Amino acid sequence: MSKARFLFYPVILLLFLFVVDAIFRIPYIQTITKIDLTAVNYKAKSAFLEKLISEKPGVNTPKTKKIMLILGSSRLLYFDHDELVSFYPDWDIYNLSSAVTTPAYYDFQLTKVLDAGIKPDLVVMETDPNQFNQNSVFKSSNLTYSFDLSYVLSNLSLFGKDHVSFYLGRKLFAVGTYKPYLDQMWRNYKNPYLENAFEMHKATYDYILSHNGNGLSPIDNYMEKDSNSLQMTSHRTLDWLFASYVRSPMQFGFYEKILDRLQAEKIKTIIIWPLSSPDFEALMEKEVLVKTWEKEIDALTASKNFSILKLKNEPSYTCNAFADGGHVAKDCYRSLMRSILLEYFRKYERHHL
């Protein structure tokens, strides 16, 4: 028996690895491993989605207001909750947007909401060519921080084996997400502003849960006034988004799945292509892949009897303030919501115009 002890070595090693991995599930350790806000935003959005489903507005309580659901990226994340409540008292507006998102992420959220029996009076969904890029950061954003196992398995044909394997690896082993780079962890631990980071994480998480999912902007009302800076960040953003662009059949599949569900349940929908800075928009106009995507997405959307509100062509949208080349400043969100609701009345309640 003693000669066969070596057979237990793999088991002991596996147990040791799980113990080490458990360390990287401790919130404090996760923070000094990843000090940025990406994980916090996704964690807060998951908690907010659960809260929304448990409360079931319009189902568990009498419906006194219309329900709007916003599905978007960071470009639809920072609506001012208090202003929405004040300016649009007839609406309960729930924002499920997060940074770097895709149709798969939108479908996950929409599926959970609709399956819970919540029926929005309006769904606002962002679309953008980068969301359909096979080489985007989908794996390290949406696939790492969102979805649950039942959803992934029920959409196996769309995700494919590679994405499912990646998802399972990240869920089973925390070190897949929170890399054990000890030198980086030590630098973060010794960072004199570490306590501020913890406070910002908690403030961001609490704000999202208490403000109907609208994000806490780390730069608040900042506007970039340096045209050179806007030009540089526009070039940087475009290079990051489209340097290795490959069309993603998976994301087109999820987009079509969303439209089929919205059409089947007769849910009023505004699909919106947001606007960026003039420098960024000018660069986009030169990209052949953007024109190819626009032609394909227009055809697919029209085939389901929907259309896309393209702010670059929308005269009701007037704002020229930007946080960087790819994002409007928070001040522009007022005009953004006005354009969304004007489109809603044009499409669905013309008698009120």
Side-chain angles (χ1 to χ4, degrees):
M1 183 69 179
S2 60
K3 293 181 179 180
R5 278 186 297 181
F6 72 91
L7 295 174
F8 292 98
Y9 293 166
V11 176
I12 294 171
L13 177 61
L14 187 62
L15 289 173
F16 174 75
L17 291 175
F18 271 108
V19 169
V20 172
D21 188 73
I23 295 173
F24 288 85
R25 295 185 185 276
I26 299 171
Y28 180 86
I29 300 298
Q30 289 181 344
T31 300
I32 64 172
T33 303
K34 273 183 178 288
I35 207 165
D36 63 85
L37 289 168
T38 303
V40 178
N41 273 296
Y42 276 104
K43 183 179 178 182
K45 277 296 154 76
S46 295
F48 177 68
L49 179 61
E50 290 178 8
K51 179 172 177 280
L52 179 62
I53 290 171
S54 67
E55 291 177 352
K56 293 187 178 180
V59 180
N60 288 345
T61 56
K63 190 172 183 180
T64 58
K65 297 182 179 182
K66 294 178 181 178
I67 295 173
M68 182 192 302
L69 198 68
I70 301 176
L71 307 171
S73 71
S74 56
R75 296 196 290 177
L76 295 185
L77 178 58
Y78 299 110
F79 286 99
D80 188 301
H81 170 69
D82 294 336
E83 285 189 359
L84 293 179
V85 171
S86 177
F87 294 168
Y88 306 104
D90 296 333
W91 291 88
D92 278 327
I93 301 174
Y94 302 100
N95 194 340
L96 292 174
S97 304
S98 194
V100 194
T101 48
T102 61
Y105 185 70
Y106 305 154
D107 181 65
F108 169 68
Q109 295 171 310
L110 185 65
T111 297
K112 293 295 182 183
V113 169
L114 296 183
D115 286 354
I118 303 167
K119 187 166 182 179
D121 296 278
L122 176 63
V123 168
V124 177
M125 181 175 71
E126 180 184 338
T127 194
D128 178 271
N130 182 59
Q131 297 178 4
F132 297 80
N133 182 3
Q134 187 169 295
N135 293 325
S136 72
V137 294
F138 169 72
K139 281 186 173 180
S140 59
S141 58
N142 297 171
L143 200 56
T144 295
Y145 296 112
S146 56
F147 307 136
D148 57 33
L149 183 60
S150 63
Y151 176 80
V152 171
L153 294 180
S154 65
N155 290 280
L156 180 60
S157 61
L158 282 172
F159 278 115
K161 293 180 181 178
D162 176 56
H163 285 109
V164 173
S165 297
F166 183 92
Y167 171 83
L168 291 174
R170 287 295 171 93
K171 292 302 178 186
L172 288 172
F173 298 100
V175 292
T177 301
Y178 301 95
K179 306 291 185 184
Y181 298 141
L182 298 183
D183 56 337
Q184 181 63 52
M185 291 173 65
W186 179 251
R187 282 196 297 271
N188 288 337
Y189 175 74
K190 298 297 289 184
N191 189 327
Y193 301 106
L194 181 62
E195 189 60 37
N196 293 344
F198 277 102
E199 291 174 1
M200 186 64 185
H201 284 201
K202 185 178 187 308
T204 299
Y205 183 90
D206 292 345
Y207 189 94
I208 287 173
L209 259 69
S210 61
H211 289 74
N212 275 10
N214 294 292
L216 176 62
S217 174
I219 56 174
D220 200 22
N221 292 314
Y222 172 78
M223 299 178 191
E224 180 58 72
K225 297 177 182 178
D226 187 333
S227 61
N228 289 330
S229 180
L230 285 174
Q231 190 173 53
M232 284 191 297
T233 55
S234 294
H235 278 280
R236 240 186 347 252
T237 302
L238 191 81
D239 291 342
W240 173 60
L241 295 179
F242 299 118
S244 56
Y245 192 96
V246 175
R247 178 189 181 278
S248 172
M250 176 184 71
Q251 298 299 350
F252 273 98
F254 277 111
Y255 183 82
E256 184 171 9
K257 182 172 180 276
I258 292 169
L259 298 189
D260 284 339
R261 183 79 187 263
L262 291 170
Q263 188 180 47
E265 303 218 11
K266 297 180 173 58
I267 296 174
K268 297 169 183 175
T269 304
I270 303 294
I271 303 167
I272 183 168
W273 185 2
L275 197 63
S276 299
S277 71
D279 288 313
F280 189 79
E281 293 296 329
L283 291 171
M284 291 269 282
E285 284 294 323
K286 298 176 184 178
E287 291 288 338
V288 175
L289 64 88
V290 174
K291 296 186 190 314
T292 302
W293 169 83
E294 187 173 1
K295 183 177 180 181
E296 183 175 5
I297 205 71
D298 281 345
L300 176 56
T301 306
S303 72
K304 306 296 181 180
N305 297 318
F306 292 106
S307 60
I308 298 174
L309 174 62
K310 302 174 183 179
L311 288 187
K312 63 182 180 180
N313 302 326
E314 175 53 46
S316 71
Y317 179 78
T318 54
C319 194
N320 196 35
F322 304 94
D324 58 40
H327 295 83
V328 297
K330 190 175 177 181
D331 187 57
C332 288
Y333 277 74
R334 300 183 183 98
S335 183
L336 177 57
M337 183 53 75
R338 283 197 298 270
S339 294
I340 288 171
L341 284 174
L342 179 59
E343 180 72 358
Y344 166 78
F345 284 111
R346 279 193 298 236
K347 291 179 70 172
Y348 300 112
E349 295 190 21
R350 292 194 65 85
H351 56 284
H352 283 148
L353 286 176

